[in-house]
Amino acid sequence: MAMVWGQGELFPTANEKEIQRTKFLLKKYKEMTILMQDFENYEEELKQTAVDGETARRIDQEDLHADKTANAAILIEKQRWVYQQYRFYTHQLRRAWGLILDVEEKRAIEYRYIQGYSRKETLLFFRHSMSDSTVRRKIDDGVMSIANTLKLIGFFEQEIKKFQM
């Protein structure tokens, strides 16, 4: 795995695009975990629904007489692929979150993104121990820490390679 860092850079820092990607994935974290759990719990039912239901009748809206069984198989594989992508993303985010050294940053990120509370709810939760601006700064610093860790472990390069294939 070739790392594209600055010369002599032992701990790379994430660029603005990587920070924004990290923030986007963190905002989707709770949704991804819920969908993964649903897929794990109801995979067989999803398969049966794809075969029996109208979802697989026409994957392509242009196709008036589609092979429903073949389309159901494609739909099931697509759902499995999405599940595997979500597992990869959530695992890497959780791994990077676990490496945050500042306890307050870690707690703020956990409450805001891992547990999925809104920014306002997070501010209210920490109101007794920190000011609103401190909570915002801890969240921003935590996102930066996660983005830097993701860069260090090669996450962004892996992600680019996956979509270039």
Side-chain angles (χ1 to χ4, degrees):
M1 174 166 57
M3 297 291 176
V4 186
W5 301 338
Q7 188 172 4
E9 192 175 14
L10 185 56
F11 296 104
T13 54
N15 62 37
E16 189 58 36
K17 187 177 179 183
E18 292 163 338
I19 294 167
Q20 291 305 315
R21 179 69 177 151
T22 301
K23 197 176 286 188
F24 171 80
L25 290 171
L26 282 168
K27 286 178 181 176
K28 296 291 184 186
Y29 180 87
K30 187 67 176 175
E31 185 181 331
M32 287 190 288
T33 57
I34 290 169
L35 289 172
M36 285 170 37
Q37 188 175 21
D38 184 70
F39 182 81
E40 290 166 359
N41 292 337
Y42 301 106
E43 183 176 5
E44 290 304 315
E45 290 176 28
L46 287 168
K47 287 178 185 176
Q48 193 60 42
T49 302
V51 172
D52 294 343
E54 291 297 312
T55 308
R57 180 159 313 277
R58 283 188 255 153
I59 288 179
D60 183 4
Q61 295 303 319
E62 310 274 320
D63 209 359
L64 299 178
H65 302 286
D67 183 355
K68 193 171 165 182
T69 307
N71 286 349
I74 293 168
L75 185 62
I76 292 163
E77 283 306 309
K78 182 179 179 185
Q79 290 171 339
R80 186 173 290 116
W81 180 83
V82 169
Y83 169 78
Q84 290 169 345
Q85 293 303 303
Y86 284 3
R87 271 190 53 195
F88 172 73
Y89 289 143
T90 56
H91 174 74
Q92 297 301 330
L93 289 169
R94 192 109 176 140
R95 181 178 170 197
W97 169 78
L99 294 173
I100 295 174
L101 298 176
D102 185 303
V103 176
E104 291 176 337
E105 281 178 24
K106 194 173 197 173
R107 282 186 58 225
I109 292 293
E110 177 184 16
Y111 200 80
R112 171 70 175 99
Y113 296 113
I114 305 296
Q115 292 184 27
Y117 289 100
S118 71
R119 199 165 185 84
K120 184 178 180 179
E121 290 169 323
T122 304
L123 292 173
L124 290 172
F125 180 78
F126 287 102
R127 176 155 282 163
H128 298 292
S129 60
M130 293 183 266
S131 69
D132 289 358
S133 61
T134 302
V135 175
R136 285 187 189 97
R137 190 177 70 252
K138 293 293 182 184
I139 290 171
D140 291 343
D141 291 348
V143 169
M144 177 70 82
S145 176
I146 290 173
N148 288 338
T149 300
L150 291 175
K151 178 146 184 131
L152 180 65
I153 63 176
F155 171 82
F156 298 112
E157 291 175 352
Q158 275 183 303
E159 190 178 37
I160 290 169
K161 284 181 184 176
K162 279 186 176 189
F163 291 108
Q164 287 179 346
M165 290 181 173

